[in-house]
Amino acid sequence: VKDKNGETVVLKNNVGGWCRYYLIKGGLTNKEIVEKVRERFGSKTTVASVAWYKSELSEKGIIVSGKKAAKAMSMDEFAAEDAGNED
């Protein structure tokens, strides 16, 4: 996955990497992501942690945050949507 600067986002096999993976994949709530990550790593990951990762990915233009879950977007989709929001 590439960010808005064309840099590759590397997803590591750790709590942060899996939170980012589920956010980019979409379809899960923050709470569901916490449950999956806690099960995988036995960690104390919180909904606030997932929200932080979501914010980070959103700022990089990799996802668009939504109420249910994040929606993954290609850079072309991001650029087209961004161009359509110019007022």
Side-chain angles (χ1 to χ4, degrees):
V1 178
K2 301 217 182 249
D3 68 15
K4 64 183 177 184
N5 298 316
E7 297 293 320
T8 300
V9 177
V10 177
L11 301 176
K12 298 179 181 179
N13 188 23
N14 59 22
V15 170
W18 280 95
C19 286
R20 289 177 183 98
Y21 168 78
Y22 290 124
L23 288 165
I24 292 168
K25 182 178 173 188
L28 298 175
T29 65
N30 289 4
K31 184 177 179 183
E32 290 168 331
I33 292 170
V34 165
E35 291 167 2
K36 287 185 170 287
V37 171
R38 283 182 176 177
E39 182 179 320
R40 179 177 286 273
F41 291 99
S43 66
K44 295 181 180 180
T45 305
T46 65
V47 172
S49 297
V50 175
W52 185 90
Y53 291 117
K54 184 184 282 188
S55 176
E56 175 199 41
L57 292 172
S58 181
E59 286 176 12
K60 290 182 177 183
I62 296 169
I63 64 169
V64 174
S65 294
K67 289 186 178 185
K68 171 79 175 156
K71 172 188 160 201
M73 298 180 77
S74 71
M75 289 307 297
D76 290 337
E77 291 170 324
F78 175 79
E81 187 168 304
D82 190 47
N85 289 328
E86 293 178 6
D87 293 328

